[in-house]
Amino acid sequence: MSLTLGRSPTHTNDVPGVDPDDDTIHRWVVRHYAQDSDRHERRHQIVAAFDNEAEFLRLLRGLNDDLERRRSAGDPVDRSEHYSGHMLEPGYRRRQQDGRLLKRLIRRRATISDELIERLELPQGMFILRSRSDRDD
C-alpha cells in the first residue's frame, strides 16, 4: 500500500473497485473525512468502492493504520481526520433523492399528488402519514 500526505490514497488490491455511484449493486464505500481544499470545508470524500467486503475491510484497515502511524510520527494530522465506510444497498441513492424531494415539497407547502406519493421510494426511517377529512371523500 502506498500513501502520500495530501493526496488521494492509492492501493493495490486483487479485486478492482466499482463505481460508488452505481445504484444497481451492493457496494462497500470507503470515505475519508478531511479538509477539502476545493470547497474550503471538512467533509467526507469517497476514496474507493468495492463489491467485495473483504477488499473493503483490507483497504479501510490499511488506511486507518497509516493514519495512526502518521499521528504517532508527529505528522501534522487534523484530530478529526478519519477513514470510515459503509455498505450501500441497490437503490440507496434513489431513495435518498426521493426523501430530499419530499422534504423540499413539504417545506414549500406544495400540493403532493397521490400519484407522486405512490412513485416515491423513501429511505429507511422515513414515511408518509396522510389524514383525510370527510370533505375529501
Side-chain angles (χ1 to χ4, degrees):
M1 179 173 306
S2 164
L3 297 172
T4 306
L5 186 60
R7 296 167 120 193
S8 297
T10 58
H11 52 84
T12 55
N13 291 315
D14 299 332
V15 176
V18 298
D19 180 4
D21 296 325
D22 184 351
D23 209 25
T24 63
I25 61 171
H26 275 93
R27 60 222 182 264
W28 286 265
V29 179
V30 176
R31 302 182 314 168
H32 182 204
Y33 184 78
Q35 181 70 25
D36 182 342
S37 57
D38 293 338
R39 292 175 53 173
H40 306 288
E41 66 180 349
R42 286 186 186 104
R43 68 183 191 98
H44 283 102
Q45 301 165 63
I46 294 176
V47 174
F50 299 95
D51 60 358
N52 178 300
E53 186 178 16
E55 293 296 319
F56 158 78
L57 291 172
R58 182 184 310 158
L59 178 62
L60 190 57
R61 280 188 207 107
L63 292 171
N64 279 312
D65 289 349
D66 183 67
L67 186 60
E68 286 305 312
R69 180 193 56 72
R70 290 190 292 136
R71 279 194 177 114
S72 298
D75 289 351
V77 177
D78 186 343
R79 286 190 299 178
S80 64
E81 183 177 344
H82 63 273
Y83 290 93
S84 62
H86 56 276
M87 190 274 296
L88 299 177
E89 295 177 346
Y92 171 83
R93 174 165 257 147
R94 182 184 63 252
R95 288 188 297 276
Q96 295 301 314
Q97 290 170 339
D98 285 355
R100 285 190 293 273
L101 171 65
L102 182 61
K103 281 193 229 179
R104 283 193 303 269
L105 291 170
I106 291 170
R107 267 192 229 119
R108 293 179 175 153
R109 298 176 187 229
T111 302
I112 305 169
S113 70
D114 289 341
E115 179 187 335
L116 175 62
I117 289 173
E118 295 302 319
R119 284 193 342 230
L120 291 176
E121 258 187 79
L122 299 176
Q124 185 177 0
M126 185 179 217
F127 64 95
I128 298 171
L129 180 62
R130 298 186 287 183
S131 64
R132 297 185 182 264
S133 67
D134 292 336
R135 290 179 280 167
D136 291 340
D137 292 333

